[in-house]
Amino acid sequence: MDQLDRFEAVALPIAQANCDTDQIAPARYLQKPRSADFGRFLFADRRFRADGTEIDDFILNRPAYRPARIVVAARNFGCGSSREHAVWALYDYGIRAAIAPSFGDIFYSNCLKNGLVPVALPEEAVQELIDHLIAHPGDRVTVDVVEQTVVFPDGFTHAFFLDPFAKHCIVKGLDELDFTLSQSAAIAAFERGYGPPER
Amino acid sequence: MFDKIWDSHRIMSREDGQDLLFIDRHYIHDVTEPAFRLLRERGLTPRSPDRIFGTPDHYVPTHSRQATAINDPERRTMIEALTRDAAESGITLFGLGDPRQGIVHVVGPEQGLSLPGMTIVCADSHTSTHGALGALAFGIGATEVGHVLATQSLWQRRPRRMRIAVDGSLAAGVTAKDVVLAIIAKIGVAGAVGHAIEYAGSTIAGLTMEGRLTLCNMSIEAGGRVGFVAPDDTTFAYLHGRPYAPKEGAWDRAVVRWRGLASDAGAVFDHEVTLDAANLAPMVTWGTTPEDALPVTSRVPDPTNAPSLERREAMTRALDYMGLTPGTPLEEVPVDRVFIGSCTNGRIEDMRGAAAVVKGRKVAAGVDAWVVPGSELVRVQAEAEGLDRVFTEAGFQWRYAGCSMCLATNGDTVAPGQRCASTSNRNFVGRQGAGARTHLMSPAMAAAAAVTGRLSDVRRLMAGA
Ligand code: SF4
């Protein structure tokens, strides 16, 4: 997981609401090991025909959007299946932030655990950004994780919420497990007071 | 009730407002390999193997019980990895060929492993199913699975609370599946995002345990990571005597404790939704999200009547994918495939409900209809009741337990362009195979579709027509 603080990148608009994780990473790739390049599977069934050739109308296949590192999507992005593979597909493609009015709950936490910044902004602001990006392919957006702001191509800055702890992990490229392991004594004490598995 | 369970499992809080929750039960299956790999890479082992139970479901073949019947090496590797990881860690596994194997969300309740008041997690969004027993159960991602394996705990932010009250008695032919599809149609697939759903009301109280499992299973399709029902006598009667449920004195003490879990009369919710069940008809989906559901007596909706431009475009895309023309009566839509099974509707009552419709009838010409029990115990029970013969004599395929065509990762797929009447939970684009068209419905409705060859109002068949 890379360290991330501030970056500016091409943003890919996904105008449809309720884009589910089955679309982001189709189920047949769940059997691949994490070492596989999941970037190749990102939106696979919308990007490629069965014979592997590209579907020209899919937005990610248009040259201006190919270098995208930010996704800007309509509401409830990443709903459905809990598959972390959806985040891996985005991450391996190079995406480091997803901006949307709302996210699937499990997807949101999966993002935080993989160095992909989920940015929730008001619906009108996101819609405006999507419209702008469709009209101006290849325009760039800046995400500042430290300041918790997004700068739109028109120069306007929007603040967003990020859990302080998750932010610390993303900025430093750390994960939560080390911290929890350091609390093992507290977990053991809780479990002693709590009793053995119920039978 | 939600807060009672949450608070009794809170180990500590972090200054950012997240709580470290102790996890009572962790289910694993054949998509858990990445989490074990993560653990191994860090030199860690599962902290509490006695709280972890596993069974393979996503990749198991349903025409055979032999791992060698899986001709895809990657799929075989996933099942082998589960077997190895469980054995190395001393985790109880109901493996392929074990009489208790099945879909993890069918097996957990069936074994009495999912109990009221527990915290339960699994790397699968339909973990919400176990909330039917009065547990706090939710799906997690692979990294979170690694975290739970290593620490038996998980950091979570307390969600908001939503109560969905359903009142009124259900008409004949209307099931828990129809109730939950009606709920999702009403609140939308994002209606419960960020919320834990408590189901209440007389309809819910009147549901069987299996109906409640179907209901809670689909909470995630409304965006809710958690859905639950307060435990009551129905819950206790279901659990009593199950292999892992408490026994004798421990049982009596547990029931006293469980009775105290129900929400207090004055409990406050962030959102309240009500639904009148008395007028519900059997439901089917026509589009590509579970909120695209209508009574089977309706017509395919017309996008030009959509409330917004965005909705109009989404409907047009969905109808195009589904190959449907606005205005067509849903009952005139022909089907090619029928799938009765999955963690939503793969339990014994589902088998009985479907068999009651099939009995004495034949699968329509040109329809390929399957029944895939949710667990091997369900299969054996159904066979003891003669249900398998009702299905096979009608022309259905009767298979072994697994996820099968719900997700199509084991190779059981619906072909491109084929239309499937399915009792599963997701009608997403490509869910049952690339280009597959899925209509979600109850087992009785799927059985009606199988014997008529089209989407059909099961109430007419029940009346003998
Ligand atoms: S039956 Fe379907 S929804 Fe349920 S666990 Fe299996 S794949 Fe997931």
Side-chain angles (χ1 to χ4, degrees):
Chain A
M1 185 157 119
D2 303 343
Q3 295 188 18
L4 267 189
D5 41 23
R6 181 178 206 274
F7 57 101
E8 187 202 49
V10 169
L12 171 76
I14 301 286
Q16 301 163 21
N18 306 315
C19 178
D20 56 73
T21 54
D22 275 75
Q23 307 305 306
I24 301 172
R28 63 183 178 281
Y29 302 115
L30 300 187
Q31 65 196 57
K32 301 280 180 198
R34 178 65 190 98
S35 53
D37 169 16
F38 276 80
R40 289 183 296 137
F41 313 140
L42 177 63
F43 291 119
D45 290 340
R46 298 179 61 188
R47 248 164 99 201
F48 306 111
R49 293 186 192 84
D51 63 7
T53 55
E54 288 188 358
I55 299 169
D56 293 336
D57 331 329
F58 186 60
I59 193 153
L60 190 53
N61 287 334
R62 294 191 213 149
Y65 295 113
R66 281 178 200 252
R69 294 189 68 209
I70 297 170
V71 167
V72 184
R75 66 172 184 282
N76 203 23
F77 185 59
C79 61
S81 160
S82 61
R83 64 188 67 165
E84 203 152 316
H85 310 68
V87 176
W88 300 343
L90 289 161
Y91 188 90
D92 288 1
Y93 185 88
I95 305 294
R96 292 294 178 270
I99 302 172
S102 59
F103 296 88
D105 287 343
I106 307 175
F107 177 82
Y108 186 91
S109 44
N110 285 342
C111 283
L112 292 176
K113 311 232 142 101
N114 287 275
L116 201 159
V117 191
V119 177
L121 292 182
E123 184 138 24
E124 311 79 71
V126 175
Q127 191 55 51
E128 196 183 298
L129 182 56
I130 289 173
D131 293 344
H132 177 97
L133 293 169
I134 290 171
H136 303 92
D139 266 14
R140 299 166 78 85
V141 171
T142 300
V143 174
D144 191 321
V145 188
V146 178
E147 294 296 324
Q148 295 177 222
T149 55
V150 178
V151 186
F152 283 14
D154 61 9
F156 270 92
T157 300
H158 298 259
F160 66 90
F161 171 83
L162 202 56
D163 264 334
F165 187 84
K167 172 175 162 179
H168 171 79
C169 290
I170 286 176
V171 173
K172 299 277 190 249
L174 301 173
D175 74 21
E176 208 168 40
L177 183 52
D178 289 318
F179 175 75
T180 313
L181 286 168
S182 74
Q183 305 298 317
S184 293
I187 300 172
F190 178 90
E191 192 170 13
R192 270 193 305 279
Y194 183 78
E198 196 141 18
R199 270 291 161 92
Chain B
M1 173 173 160
F2 180 85
D3 293 317
K4 291 180 191 174
I5 304 178
W6 185 282
D7 293 338
S8 65
H9 289 80
R10 196 179 57 80
I11 300 168
M12 60 170 73
S13 301
R14 216 162 51 194
E15 55 190 37
D16 64 356
Q18 296 225 19
D19 293 337
L20 186 65
L21 294 182
F22 188 76
I23 302 300
D24 293 311
R25 203 64 95 203
H26 182 189
Y27 295 126
I28 60 172
H29 53 57
D30 46 4
V31 199
T32 316
E33 184 269 350
F36 276 90
R37 180 185 298 260
L38 186 144
L39 216 61
R40 215 171 292 121
E41 278 166 5
R42 302 178 67 138
L44 298 168
T45 52
R47 180 181 182 279
S48 312
D50 52 349
R51 295 188 191 272
I52 311 174
F53 290 81
T55 187
D57 50 14
H58 288 67
Y59 291 109
V60 298
T62 57
H63 63 286
S64 159
R65 290 289 82 172
Q66 302 298 321
T68 48
I70 311 172
N71 47 27
D72 182 307
E74 285 178 346
R75 291 178 194 153
R76 210 164 46 231
T77 306
M78 287 289 158
I79 293 183
E80 286 164 2
L82 172 68
T83 311
R84 179 201 61 217
D85 294 335
E88 276 178 5
S89 311
I91 292 168
T92 303
L93 182 74
F94 309 135
L96 193 60
D98 187 294
R100 298 163 295 180
Q101 177 269 340
I103 306 171
V104 66
H105 309 309
V106 176
V107 170
E110 183 174 79
Q111 289 297 321
L113 285 163
S114 303
L115 296 172
M118 279 187 163
T119 50
I120 302 175
V121 298
C122 174
D124 193 287
S125 58
H126 293 100
T127 308
S128 59
T129 310
H130 308 266
L133 294 139
L136 171 53
F138 50 95
I140 58 179
T143 305
E144 291 178 319
V145 169
H147 191 282
V148 178
L149 287 173
T151 68
Q152 203 58 33
S153 65
L154 194 64
W155 291 100
Q156 290 289 302
R157 180 175 293 279
R158 197 184 292 248
R160 291 187 294 272
R161 273 74 99 207
M162 174 184 275
R163 175 158 57 191
I164 301 183
V166 189
D167 284 293
S169 52
L170 296 174
V174 181
T175 67
K177 182 65 162 284
D178 304 300
V179 172
V180 71
L181 285 172
I183 290 172
I184 300 165
K186 179 174 173 135
I187 70 173
V189 290
V193 165
H195 289 77
I197 305 171
E198 174 162 359
Y199 297 98
S202 63
T203 314
I204 309 300
L207 287 178
T208 62
M209 203 58 226
E210 301 207 344
R212 295 179 190 178
L213 288 160
T214 301
L215 175 78
C216 291
N217 173 274
M218 290 194 66
S219 303
I220 184 72
E221 308 317 330
R225 198 174 183 179
V226 170
F228 61 91
V229 177
D232 59 10
D233 289 338
T234 302
T235 321
F236 310 142
Y238 173 90
L239 284 171
H240 189 73
R242 297 208 173 249
Y244 289 90
K247 302 273 177 313
E248 296 164 15
W251 168 261
D252 297 334
R253 288 192 298 280
V255 170
V256 171
R257 205 169 58 244
W258 295 340
R259 284 196 196 280
L261 286 170
S263 289
D264 304 325
V268 178
F269 295 83
D270 301 284
H271 275 283
E272 299 252 15
V273 175
T274 56
L275 188 80
D276 178 7
N279 300 319
L280 285 184
M283 304 286 286
V284 293
T285 63
W286 52 267
T288 53
T289 76
E291 75 183 41
D292 300 335
L294 282 171
V296 64
T297 48
S298 317
R299 290 168 184 269
V300 175
D302 189 342
T304 55
N305 300 330
S308 68
L309 177 64
E310 184 205 320
R311 181 66 185 145
R312 184 183 316 161
E313 288 173 357
M315 284 174 72
T316 306
R317 252 193 326 271
L319 291 178
D320 183 48
Y321 179 80
M322 293 297 290
L324 293 173
T325 311
T328 313
L330 286 168
E331 287 204 72
E332 285 177 14
V333 175
V335 301
D336 308 296
R337 305 290 297 268
V338 173
F339 171 60
I340 297 175
S342 87
C343 59
T344 312
N345 283 125
R347 284 169 283 268
I348 190 68
E349 283 176 16
D350 301 316
M351 305 289 119
R352 290 179 190 142
V357 175
V358 168
K359 199 172 175 73
R361 295 187 166 101
K362 291 276 181 232
V363 171
V367 175
D368 184 10
W370 291 21
V371 185
V372 184
S375 73
E376 282 297 283
L377 288 174
V378 169
R379 182 177 66 80
V380 168
Q381 174 67 27
E383 290 177 3
E385 296 178 20
L387 304 181
D388 59 319
R389 285 191 306 284
V390 172
F391 288 117
T392 52
E393 280 164 15
F396 276 86
Q397 288 201 32
W398 176 253
R399 319 257 312 182
Y400 293 102
C403 295
S404 184
M405 246 190 293
C406 171
L407 179 77
T409 47
N410 72 335
D412 296 347
T413 58
V414 174
Q418 275 192 334
R419 188 180 299 288
C420 183
S422 178
T423 66
S424 54
N425 42 55
R426 288 188 175 138
N427 51 350
F428 295 162
V429 168
R431 173 77 177 183
Q432 296 189 290
R437 294 164 168 163
T438 304
H439 294 273
L440 302 176
M441 63 195 75
S442 73
M445 282 286 290
V451 298
T452 59
R454 54 191 63 244
L455 304 182
S456 297
D457 189 339
V458 67
R459 293 173 299 184
R460 250 182 319 101
L461 278 78
M462 290 165 67

